[in-house]
């Protein structure tokens, strides 16, 4: 490639190009980096040139992918379902739909600029096993003439355009030539959870203040570098007229999506809100996220500095502003009352949490609270404006619990003197205990401090209380010992309580301890259970209050009980005082920073 980005060396004939896909059951947004002339068909490339009429009859271990959605004659593999596993984009109705049944996978792979492909693994998978089929790694390969020179793509006037990386090399989105095309793009992250763990969109948008791209939260190491074989979504600059985008030889890059892009997320003041599921086993997979930047030079009007939200098929979150849904919003520095209107979509009955990450928002002398139109317990919860705040919440059958606009963040100028300012908060291991220290300044009318601990930075319990010692706006330092820290992660925060009962929180700090030899656990005997009584043997479980829940295969809690465990007895009896039908269940024990889940069978 010369200095002008023009190819100066060429390859004659066809080249074999491979794209490795890691082991994960998920949708992926893929492109074919070959020229249209002499291009292979989808069947020749991604199906290794064969079609599976009966599972495993022509398996090619390690390569290709099984594609369903039509007949064998049109190149589709056959299994338990005919649901399409390859989809293409329709700009007129802004949706992805199944690959047309005719000619099916016998169409040239360059017919469409990109494809949503459901990848469970290679072609050795037995489709008759359905959801129980194994997940494997695979390599998608094709042979074709590679593109060279500049490749121009027309960009639709409205909705989105699929842009496939045309080269067998990563490209740098920043340097691509755009004509009436927004300097933003949408990447599909297959590691984002969603209801079925199949992926979700991540939004990138250029931040001129820092000359980097801001992005919503991702689970994969995504970046401005679009990998070979990857496609993204883009849109016109004004959303009204068409544009063009040109990928040049000089846009090729040695970097790629395997490198973590250094996203500083631009402006100093920002608020990120992440949506997590809270599973019965205590895990909290990331579902989606949004971001707001604040700066004096930005506008509160929706313009090219803002990025629209693309809703996925699973639970997701957006910011509602002037009738538009945004993933990334840019606003002026908050100098008066301002509100971030959060919208939650496609929520299911179950437990969730919001994770609010604020950076330097306290520099504007602000306060902020979470507004919850459904739960009085959560409503008016203070937000840490230079740290994290976790808001656990639940969705049930009450429509108000899953109202789109249930949550918002309300900012207000801080017109009162705060009772205390936390200067330093730290925690550290000292042999078998953990020391928690904090120092304060400007203590005014503070009554006491509570030290809270959590195993997951979500559910905190009070550990100790100590009286405030400073008076009349003075400074003070405090220290307490946690003599019985948890095995693994310990999260601590300080809660100040003033004489009027008002509370404020410090930032959260973490100490990780080695996992104890006798990790808290329990067993069920007999298992399968033969009556309506479950006998539970405990090992390594500390004294305290615990909640037992019996959960059926639909996720419903059919029985629950709170027990006070003395830390000595080896056995707990759980009476299920209702219909306990034969089948498979999960038994969950939670409390004191411990969450244990066991599978239970009933005869």
């Amino acid at each position: 490639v010369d200095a002008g980005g023009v190819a100066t060396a060429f390859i004659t004939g066809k080249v074999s190009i491979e794209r490795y896909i890691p082991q994960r059951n998920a949708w992926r947004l893929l492109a074919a980096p070959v020229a249209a002339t002499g291009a292979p068909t989808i069947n020749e490339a991604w199906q290794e040139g064969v079609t599976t009429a009966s599972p495993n009859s022509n398996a090619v271990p390690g390569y290709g992918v099984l594609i369903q959605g039509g007949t064998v004659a049109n190149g589709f593999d056959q299994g338990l379902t005919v649901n399409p596993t390859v989809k293409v984009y329709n700009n007129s109705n802004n949706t992805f739909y199944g690959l047309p049944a005719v000619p099916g996978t016998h169409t040239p792979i360059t017919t469409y600029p990109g494809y949503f492909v459901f990848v469970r693994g290679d072609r050795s998978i037995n489709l008759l096993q359905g959801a129980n089929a194994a997940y494997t790694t695979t390599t998608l390969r094709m042979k074709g003439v590679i593109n060279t020179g500049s490749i121009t793509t027309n960009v639709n006037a409205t909705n989105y355009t699929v842009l496939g990386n045309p080269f067998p090399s990563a490209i740098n989105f920043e340097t691509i030539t755009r004509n009436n095309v927004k300097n933003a793009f949408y990447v599909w992250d297959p590691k984002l959870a969603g209801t079925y763990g199949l992926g979700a969109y991540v939004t990138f948008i250029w931040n001129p203040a820092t000359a980097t791209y801001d992005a919503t939260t991702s689970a994969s190491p995504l970046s401005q570098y679009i990998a070979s074989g990857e496609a993204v979504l883009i849109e016109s600059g004004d959303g009204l007229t068409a544009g063009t985008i040109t990928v040049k030889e000089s846009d090729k890059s040695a970097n790629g999506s395997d490198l973590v892009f250094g996203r500083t997320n631009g402006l100093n003041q920002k608020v990120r809100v992440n949506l997590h599921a809270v599973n019965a086993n205590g895990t909290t997979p990331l579902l989606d996220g949004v971001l707001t930047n604040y700066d004096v030079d930005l506008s509160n009007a929706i313009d090219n500095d803002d990025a629209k939200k693309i809703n996925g098929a699973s639970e997701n979150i957006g910011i509602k502003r002037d009738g538009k849904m945004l993933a990334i919003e840019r606003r002026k520095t908050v100098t008066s009352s301002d509100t971030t209107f959060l919208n939650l979509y496609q929520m299911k009955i179950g437990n969730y949490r919001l994770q609010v990450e604020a950076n330097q928002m306290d520099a504007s002398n602000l306060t902020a609270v979470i507004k919850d139109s459904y739960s009085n317990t959560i409503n008016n919860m203070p937000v840490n404006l230079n740290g994290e705040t976790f808001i656990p919440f639940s969705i049930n059958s009450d429509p108000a619990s899953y109202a789109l606009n249930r949550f918002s963040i309300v900012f207000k100028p801080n017109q009162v003197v705060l009772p205390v300012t936390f200067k330093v908060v730290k925690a550290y291991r000292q042999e078998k205990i953990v020391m928690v220290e904090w120092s304060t300044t400007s203590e005014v009318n503070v009554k006491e401090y509570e030290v809270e601990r959590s195993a997951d930075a979500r559910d905190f319990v009070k550990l100790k209380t100590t009286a405030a010692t400073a008076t009349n706006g003075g400074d003070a330092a405090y220290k307490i010992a946690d003599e019985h820290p948890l095995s693994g992660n310990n999260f601590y925060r300080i809660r100040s309580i003033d004489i009027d009962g008002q509370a404020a929180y410090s930032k959260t700090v973490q100490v990780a301890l080695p996992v104890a030899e006798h990790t808290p656990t329990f067993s069920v005997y007999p298992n399968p259970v033969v009556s309506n009584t479950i006998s539970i043997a405990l090992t390594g479980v500390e004294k305290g209050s615990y909640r037992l829940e019996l959960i059926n295969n639909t996720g419903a809690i059919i029985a629950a009980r709170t027990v006070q465990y003395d830390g000595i007895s080896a056995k707990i009896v759980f009476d299920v005082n209702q219909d306990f039908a034969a089948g498979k269940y999960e038994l969950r024990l939670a409390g004191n920073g411990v969450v244990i889940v066991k599978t239970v069978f009933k005869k």
Side-chain angles (χ1 to χ4, degrees):
V1 179
D2 69 10
V6 178
T8 57
F10 300 90
I11 297 174
T12 301
K14 295 183 178 181
V15 174
S16 181
I17 304 170
E18 297 188 352
R19 174 76 269 172
Y20 176 78
I21 305 292
Q23 181 179 6
R24 184 171 182 85
N25 185 48
W27 288 94
R28 296 175 185 273
L29 191 51
L30 303 178
V34 293
T37 302
T41 66
I42 295 173
N43 177 268
E44 290 169 335
W46 290 344
Q47 292 174 284
E48 294 292 311
V50 293
T51 302
T52 303
S54 59
N56 281 333
S57 65
N58 51 17
V60 185
Y63 290 94
V65 64
L66 292 161
I67 298 177
Q68 297 175 264
T71 65
V72 172
N74 291 316
F76 291 97
D77 300 304
Q78 305 301 298
L80 295 179
T81 178
V82 294
N83 292 333
T85 57
V86 171
K87 297 182 179 182
V88 293
Y89 181 68
N90 184 340
N91 174 257
S92 63
N93 59 13
N94 193 29
T95 60
F96 280 88
Y97 64 99
L99 182 71
V102 180
T105 70
H106 295 313
T107 189
I109 200 166
T110 53
T111 302
Y112 301 93
Y115 300 85
F116 253 132
V117 183
F118 184 73
V119 182
R120 180 184 291 272
D122 63 18
R123 291 188 60 80
S124 68
I125 292 171
N126 187 340
L127 289 177
L128 288 184
Q129 293 178 338
N132 295 319
Y135 305 160
T136 69
T137 63
T138 189
T139 297
L140 302 183
R141 56 185 176 180
M142 66 188 71
K143 183 175 288 187
V145 177
I146 63 173
N147 290 308
T148 57
S150 297
I151 308 296
T152 298
T153 299
N154 293 323
V155 178
N156 298 316
T158 59
N159 295 328
Y160 301 96
T161 298
V162 178
L163 174 67
N165 181 350
F167 297 135
S169 163
I171 56 174
N172 185 356
F173 192 86
E174 178 184 350
T175 61
I176 292 174
T177 301
R178 290 172 291 273
N179 176 25
N180 189 33
V181 175
K182 198 168 187 176
N183 196 356
F185 58 99
Y186 302 86
V187 184
W188 183 263
D189 184 354
K191 290 186 179 180
L192 278 177
T195 300
Y196 304 105
L198 305 181
Y201 287 105
V202 176
T203 304
F204 283 79
I205 187 169
W206 181 252
N207 188 335
T210 57
T212 58
Y213 285 90
D214 289 337
T216 54
T217 302
S218 67
S220 299
L222 304 177
S223 72
Q224 72 194 76
Y225 301 100
I226 310 304
S228 174
E230 184 178 14
V232 298
L233 299 185
I234 57 176
E235 54 188 332
S236 74
D238 58 15
L240 298 172
T241 55
T244 60
I245 191 165
T246 301
V247 184
K248 309 174 296 298
E249 290 282 343
S250 57
D251 298 324
K252 293 179 178 178
S253 174
N255 295 315
S257 58
D258 57 326
L259 301 177
V260 179
F261 175 54
R263 301 195 304 267
T264 59
N265 294 316
L267 309 173
N268 287 331
Q269 290 188 310
K270 58 181 177 285
V271 176
R272 184 187 297 277
V273 183
N274 296 326
L275 174 64
H276 295 259
V278 179
N279 295 329
N281 62 3
T283 58
T284 57
L286 174 65
L287 301 176
D288 198 12
V290 292
L291 172 69
T292 304
N293 294 120
Y294 298 88
D295 187 84
V296 66
D297 293 326
L298 294 173
S299 169
N300 286 346
I302 296 177
D303 54 24
N304 278 347
D305 287 331
D306 304 299
K308 291 190 296 185
K309 175 69 180 178
I310 301 181
N311 289 336
S314 302
E315 302 101 312
N316 57 87
I317 185 172
I319 299 172
K320 187 74 171 289
R321 185 72 64 186
D322 297 337
K324 305 289 185 180
M325 195 59 58
L326 304 175
I328 297 178
E329 183 180 27
R330 302 276 172 66
R331 294 183 66 76
K332 282 188 173 296
T333 303
V334 182
T335 56
S336 59
S337 296
D338 194 2
T339 300
T340 297
F341 299 96
L342 302 173
N343 272 213
L344 301 179
Y345 288 89
Q346 296 160 185
M347 305 300 290
K348 314 296 182 184
I349 292 177
N351 296 320
Y352 298 88
R353 75 174 184 183
L354 295 176
Q355 176 189 14
V356 181
E357 301 177 356
N359 184 71
Q360 298 187 33
M361 294 301 295
D362 54 349
S364 297
N365 195 28
L366 296 172
T367 61
V369 295
I370 288 286
K371 289 291 186 180
D372 183 353
S373 63
Y374 180 71
S375 170
N376 290 330
T377 302
I378 299 172
N379 193 37
N380 291 318
M381 177 184 291
V383 174
N384 184 345
L385 290 181
N386 195 25
E388 290 183 315
T389 306
F390 293 91
I391 302 99
F393 68 99
S394 298
I395 302 296
N396 54 45
S397 58
D398 185 346
S401 75
Y402 52 85
L404 294 180
N405 58 351
R406 173 177 167 178
F407 292 104
S408 60
I409 303 175
V410 177
F411 298 90
K412 292 184 178 180
N414 186 13
Q415 298 175 343
V416 298
V417 178
L418 294 176
V420 67
T421 298
F422 291 99
K423 290 196 302 183
V424 176
V425 180
K426 62 182 180 179
Y428 55 91
R429 182 182 175 189
Q430 195 173 80
E431 295 183 350
K432 294 184 178 182
I433 67 174
V434 172
M435 301 302 300
V436 182
E437 297 183 8
W438 68 100
S439 60
T440 64
T441 185
S442 304
E443 281 191 11
V444 178
N445 296 328
V446 177
K447 176 185 176 183
E448 60 191 11
Y449 295 96
E450 293 178 350
V451 180
E452 298 182 343
R453 184 183 69 188
S454 171
D456 58 7
R458 176 174 58 89
D459 297 319
F460 283 85
V461 296
K462 182 171 67 175
L463 186 67
K464 291 188 176 182
T465 301
T466 185
T469 59
T471 58
N472 298 323
D475 301 346
Y478 301 88
K479 178 190 293 186
I480 67 101
D482 181 1
E483 294 89 354
H484 303 288
L486 306 173
S487 297
N489 288 326
N490 289 259
F491 296 90
Y492 299 92
R493 69 184 183 187
I494 315 301
R495 181 173 185 255
S496 68
I497 304 172
D498 67 21
I499 58 176
D500 296 322
Q502 297 296 313
Y505 288 93
S506 72
K507 68 178 183 179
T508 300
V509 294
Q510 177 185 3
V511 175
L513 272 66
V515 177
E517 293 183 15
H518 301 293
T519 302
T521 188
F522 69 83
S523 58
V524 175
Y525 62 95
N527 194 6
V529 179
V530 295
S531 68
N532 277 19
T533 298
I534 303 175
S535 296
I536 303 164
L538 302 175
T539 303
V541 177
E542 295 182 354
K543 177 182 178 180
S545 177
Y546 296 87
R547 179 174 173 81
L548 282 166
E549 295 178 342
L550 186 64
I551 304 166
N552 66 15
N553 59 5
T554 68
I557 298 173
I558 68 165
R561 175 191 168 194
T562 299
V563 297
Q564 299 297 326
Y565 180 57
D566 59 12
I568 300 173
S569 303
K571 177 180 176 182
I572 292 178
V573 176
F574 184 15
D575 291 319
V576 182
N577 297 318
Q578 63 186 76
D579 183 31
F580 187 15
K584 181 181 178 181
Y585 297 82
E586 285 188 346
L587 183 60
R588 182 175 186 264
L589 176 74
N592 288 348
V594 172
V595 177
I596 312 169
V597 179
K598 296 290 185 180
T599 299
V600 175
F601 296 91
K602 172 68 186 298
K603 278 189 175 181

